[in-house]
Amino acid sequence: MPVQAHAEEFRSPGTGENAAVGVLLSHGFTGSPRSMRPFAEHLAAEGYGVAVPRLPGHGTSWPEMNKTSWPDWYAVLDNELERLRKEHDQVFTVGLSMGGCLTLRLAEEHGTDISGLVLINPSVQTDDKRLALLPVLSRLVPSFPGISNDIKKPGVDEGAYDRMPLRALQSLSQLWKITRADLAKVTQPVLLFRSTVDHVVEPSSGRTVLSSISSRDVTETLLEDSYHVATLDNDAPRIFADSTAFIGRLSGLVIGQRDA
């Protein structure tokens, strides 16, 4: 299945002193590396090693995504984490929406192999009672209308699917359940960004994460001028700057290398 032009993966090995740190970024459900590309380019310009893989079934077509499930998506990030651990002294993870859930799962399973997490509108549950019907619906109906481009900034396109693949969504709900059950295993420092207006992920997801993890170094930042895909929205510069400072503080390396 051909990969869409906007959905290419992004990697940078890092430069200078900050190359000792690798950062793994994960896009969200039905999205692609496009939603994380500006963030990744910012981190690469700071000298960090960066990886933004394309999760299976994403950046191609929604019927293709219906052939994949959460273990497929997780395996790609797990393998990328292993590679980054070999090439860098420390690794941080960054996740948007479902990507936040996947990186939380990585933190649960890999412990101190991950030095810190940046979460942007992480998705670990839904308040939509209709999803209780997913086990049946996903066998009868292939897709629903999609929820994409929840971006306040005019003229921005995240390149996500215009249909919601229900078999894949059913698998995502299983990932939510597994991840929520083990949130207490998360002990790494966490920087969580939450949009005050988000038409995709309810505030309960962020609250569940913050109330359930065991991390002692936790910062929640509210984004007042962005919707769900905040990495492409008006608050993106703040996310990039605060995340760079977070990584720099925890790694003890250079902050603002590109301006030096």
Side-chain angles (χ1 to χ4, degrees):
M1 175 67 65
V3 176
Q4 297 174 10
H6 66 262
E8 297 91 349
E9 299 181 328
F10 178 84
R11 290 178 180 82
S12 176
T15 58
E17 185 180 356
N18 284 356
V21 172
V23 186
L24 174 60
L25 299 93
S26 176
H27 63 77
F29 187 75
T30 77
S32 77
R34 181 175 187 169
S35 63
M36 305 301 279
R37 183 68 178 251
F39 199 168
E41 290 176 344
H42 172 89
L43 292 168
E46 294 289 344
Y48 298 116
V50 176
V52 190
R54 180 181 60 84
L55 303 181
H58 294 74
T60 54
S61 69
W62 70 260
E64 183 72 15
M65 188 174 171
N66 254 342
K67 300 175 185 177
T68 68
S69 60
W70 81 261
D72 302 318
W73 314 327
Y74 182 82
V76 167
L77 294 177
D78 196 42
N79 290 337
E80 200 74 44
L81 175 63
E82 182 179 2
R83 181 186 68 81
L84 289 170
R85 284 289 299 152
K86 292 177 181 177
E87 297 177 358
H88 306 276
D89 296 337
Q90 297 181 66
V91 177
F92 292 79
T93 60
V94 179
L96 167 67
S97 194
M98 177 189 76
C101 188
L102 288 166
T103 58
L104 282 164
R105 188 62 182 162
L106 284 174
E108 292 168 356
E109 299 212 315
H110 289 280
T112 56
D113 283 350
I114 295 173
S115 296
L117 290 78
V118 177
L119 307 172
I120 305 103
N121 294 321
S123 162
V124 298
Q125 64 189 53
T126 182
D127 301 333
D128 190 339
K129 304 303 182 185
R130 295 173 298 177
L131 265 68
L133 301 174
L134 261 182
V136 174
L137 279 176
S138 63
R139 290 194 289 267
L140 301 174
V141 182
S143 70
F144 277 169
I147 302 176
S148 61
N149 286 332
D150 189 33
I151 302 171
K152 185 176 182 180
K153 188 176 182 178
V156 180
D157 181 4
E158 66 168 315
Y161 297 146
D162 60 1
R163 302 291 299 180
M164 181 75 69
L166 293 192
R167 293 183 188 91
L169 183 59
Q170 166 65 7
S171 186
L172 172 58
S173 71
Q174 295 167 349
L175 170 64
W176 286 339
K177 183 177 180 180
I178 291 168
T179 303
R180 287 198 310 271
D182 284 342
L183 281 173
K185 294 180 180 179
V186 177
T187 60
Q188 302 89 337
V190 170
L191 174 60
L192 188 149
F193 295 96
R194 181 171 64 82
S195 297
T196 55
V197 178
D198 186 332
H199 305 96
V200 177
V201 171
E202 299 97 338
S204 61
S205 266
R207 288 197 296 265
T208 294
V209 171
L210 294 175
S211 65
S212 302
I213 60 177
S214 299
S215 308
R216 294 187 176 184
D217 184 343
V218 178
T219 302
E220 180 186 25
T221 297
L222 298 182
L223 305 175
E224 305 282 354
D225 199 25
S226 297
Y227 296 158
H228 182 63
V229 190
T231 50
L232 297 179
D233 216 327
N234 295 312
D235 291 302
R238 180 179 185 183
I239 294 172
F240 302 168
D242 288 2
S243 298
T244 300
F246 173 76
I247 294 170
R249 172 173 66 84
L250 293 170
S251 65
L253 294 175
V254 180
I255 300 174
Q257 173 174 291
R258 62 177 175 174
D259 297 324

